[in-house]
Amino acid sequence: MEIGVVGKPNVGKSTFFSAATMVDVDIANYPFTTIDANVGVTYAIAEHPCKELSCKPNPQNYEYKDGKALIPVKMIDVAGLVPGAHEGRGLGNKFLDDLRMASALIHVVDATGKTDAEGQPTDYHDPVEDIEFLEREIDYWILGILKKGWEKFAKRIKLQHMKLEQAIADHLSGIGVTEEDVWEAIHKLGLSSDPTRWTDDDLFAFVRELRKINKPIIIAANKADAASDEQIERLKKEGEKRGYIVIPTSAAAELTLRKAARAGFIDYIPGSSDFKILKKMNPKQEKALQLIRERVLERFGSTGVQEVINRAVFDLLKLIPVYPVQDENKLTDQFGNVLPHVYLLPRGSTPRDLAYKVHTDLGRTFLYAVNARTHRRVGEDYQLEFNDIIKIVATAK
């Protein structure tokens, strides 16, 4: 799974990425600072079962702090996008190539409206237009791939009695489209099972629906601390009209807090509404942190960065954390580690899906599972829930 951080130049996209991953990247006030994609690891944060069960975990594939599980997620910061990217304008081809396999997109928007469509400073630009132009660029990009030789492709599907969903998914596999994505888009729109009957309007409607399914987007309304309440509310209202989650965000504040925490000056967990000073700083540093507290944390409840990441993982992608164990009573693996591993699985997944995630052989030989909370046996049709702790029982090889 990969989350792409996207947006036009100079909106704080690379600052958001750096704050989320603590990867040092070039951050400058000129277009196309990011040319080659930056890749890092961020964390989705969820309450840990040990907070409820009064245990002490030994995490192996995640981190644990103050009752929370920090679950690693791959993140990519791609080149800045400008209108006409699907035609190769700016770094358009590079941008679109970089987000091919992204499961979800975080669209960083300048909530103040102080950056124009090209990423240049301006007195006022409507940030709602940025939401629309990103949709348009991705739609036309996918449409360009699909329409190339469409008539021959559609006829071949019909003449060879190919499965429509599979044929289109194979055609678009390079951008991470699955057969399930295609099926959902076709059925949501009620399109004909005969692709030769699809009109240009049908094709475009299909592409738009497919983009919503395959590349879901969340809006980070960045520089929120410099925006008025009216600007924030309008952006939220207009974004939500289009079906988006819009989160007021200050990537610069988050980056400052994380750097201060890494240096040992403060105790701060990403997503928190405050921080604790641990050691003395110079007056300039103290003033900067106090301003963040007053202008960001007290106003919005957090910097927004972690909320954007969490909602991308848990709401957009509908993933849930599940903990496999070997001993359902002690909540341990074979080495005695308490809740050592966590896996993010799509909502609706089953214990067999979890077994395959742990190891292919475990999935193949799956018999049943035990819910460690209830100590009840569950079958492969059981739907896993958020923070489930599951023992997998399989046949011997």
Side-chain angles (χ1 to χ4, degrees):
M1 181 186 64
E2 184 176 287
I3 294 177
V5 181
V6 301
K8 68 188 184 187
N10 286 342
V11 294
K13 180 173 58 63
S14 291
T15 304
F16 184 101
F17 172 83
S18 189
T21 63
M22 290 306 290
V23 171
D24 291 327
V25 298
D26 289 333
I27 300 171
N29 189 31
Y30 57 85
F32 306 122
T33 308
T34 303
I35 296 176
D36 294 318
N38 298 300
V39 180
V41 174
T42 188
Y43 296 89
I45 299 181
E47 294 294 326
H48 194 281
C50 276
K51 187 175 181 180
E52 170 196 347
L53 301 172
S54 301
C55 54
K56 185 178 180 181
N58 308 108
Q60 305 295 306
N61 74 337
Y62 65 98
E63 294 184 24
Y64 176 81
K65 187 173 183 181
D66 294 345
K68 297 182 184 295
L70 284 67
I71 308 166
V73 176
K74 185 179 178 183
M75 179 173 276
I76 181 168
D77 169 32
V78 302
L81 182 69
V82 295
H86 69 280
E87 298 171 336
R89 191 163 176 270
L91 297 174
N93 292 331
K94 177 68 177 164
F95 168 89
L96 295 166
D97 280 344
D98 286 341
L99 62 77
R100 282 179 179 272
M101 302 309 291
S103 302
L105 303 177
I106 294 171
H107 185 189
V108 181
V109 172
D110 182 353
T112 67
K114 297 291 186 181
T115 314
D116 70 15
E118 305 289 334
Q120 300 289 351
T122 186
D123 289 334
Y124 182 72
H125 168 79
D126 187 355
V128 174
E129 292 180 11
D130 295 338
I131 297 175
E132 295 169 344
F133 107 79
L134 180 72
E135 293 177 342
R136 188 165 56 250
E137 292 301 329
I138 297 176
D139 289 343
Y140 278 109
W141 170 53
I142 300 173
L143 185 65
I145 297 171
L146 190 60
K147 280 198 76 172
K148 196 172 182 179
W150 170 256
E151 289 186 11
K152 289 182 180 179
F153 177 61
K155 287 177 182 176
R156 184 160 59 88
I157 292 172
K158 183 177 180 179
L159 290 172
Q160 296 181 11
H161 303 290
M162 299 167 68
K163 186 179 180 183
L164 179 59
E165 294 89 346
Q166 184 178 343
I168 294 178
D170 288 345
H171 192 60
L172 297 175
S173 61
I175 59 173
V177 171
T178 67
E179 191 173 330
E180 291 76 17
D181 295 338
V182 176
W183 184 93
E184 185 177 343
I186 289 173
H187 284 263
K188 193 169 281 189
L189 295 170
L191 294 175
S192 170
S193 58
D194 178 1
T196 63
R197 296 174 60 187
W198 288 16
T199 65
D200 285 346
D201 287 344
D202 288 337
L203 266 177
F204 192 71
F206 169 73
V207 162
R208 282 180 62 84
E209 197 61 45
L210 188 63
R211 183 253 305 157
K212 294 176 187 177
I213 296 165
N214 181 256
K215 297 282 184 278
I217 300 169
I218 186 169
I219 309 295
N222 197 33
K223 306 182 184 180
D225 48 318
S228 67
D229 290 343
E230 290 77 16
Q231 286 175 311
I232 295 293
E233 285 308 309
R234 179 176 179 274
L235 187 52
K236 288 176 73 171
K237 183 179 178 181
E238 292 300 322
E240 288 164 5
K241 268 187 194 176
R242 293 161 172 79
Y244 294 113
I245 299 167
V246 180
I247 308 295
T249 306
S250 175
E254 180 71 12
L255 183 58
T256 299
L257 291 173
R258 292 204 188 189
K259 283 184 174 180
R262 185 167 66 177
F265 287 111
I266 63 173
D267 181 21
Y268 172 70
I269 298 176
S272 297
S273 60
D274 204 358
F275 56 87
K276 180 181 179 182
I277 294 177
L278 298 177
K279 62 183 183 182
K280 190 170 178 59
M281 293 170 277
N282 64 49
K284 187 176 179 181
Q285 291 171 321
E286 286 188 6
K287 184 178 180 181
L289 290 177
Q290 184 57 30
L291 285 174
I292 288 173
R293 176 178 276 148
E294 293 172 0
R295 296 179 180 178
V296 180
L297 301 181
E298 291 179 359
R299 182 179 174 192
F300 299 110
S302 78
T303 68
V305 171
Q306 190 59 52
E307 184 180 354
V308 169
I309 296 165
N310 282 356
R311 297 200 68 178
V313 172
F314 301 131
D315 294 345
L316 279 194
L317 296 176
K318 298 179 174 60
L319 299 177
I320 59 171
V322 183
Y323 296 79
V325 294
Q326 190 171 79
D327 186 323
E328 72 273 28
N329 297 305
K330 296 180 180 178
L331 308 181
T332 57
D333 64 6
Q334 59 182 321
F335 305 109
N337 295 308
V338 176
L339 298 178
H341 296 98
V342 63
Y343 293 96
L344 290 171
L345 294 171
R347 207 175 294 160
S349 294
T350 66
R352 187 186 285 274
D353 294 324
L354 174 63
Y356 270 111
K357 191 81 171 178
V358 175
H359 198 282
T360 304
D361 288 340
L362 197 61
R364 286 176 184 152
T365 57
F366 174 88
L367 277 178
Y368 63 92
V370 177
N371 185 322
R373 292 178 184 276
T374 63
H375 298 284
R376 290 180 179 175
R377 174 171 166 167
V378 293
E380 63 177 295
D381 58 344
Y382 169 76
Q383 288 197 359
L384 296 169
E385 297 183 357
F386 202 98
N387 273 355
D388 260 352
I389 304 170
I390 300 292
K391 174 184 177 177
I392 304 294
V393 179
T395 59
K397 291 183 182 179

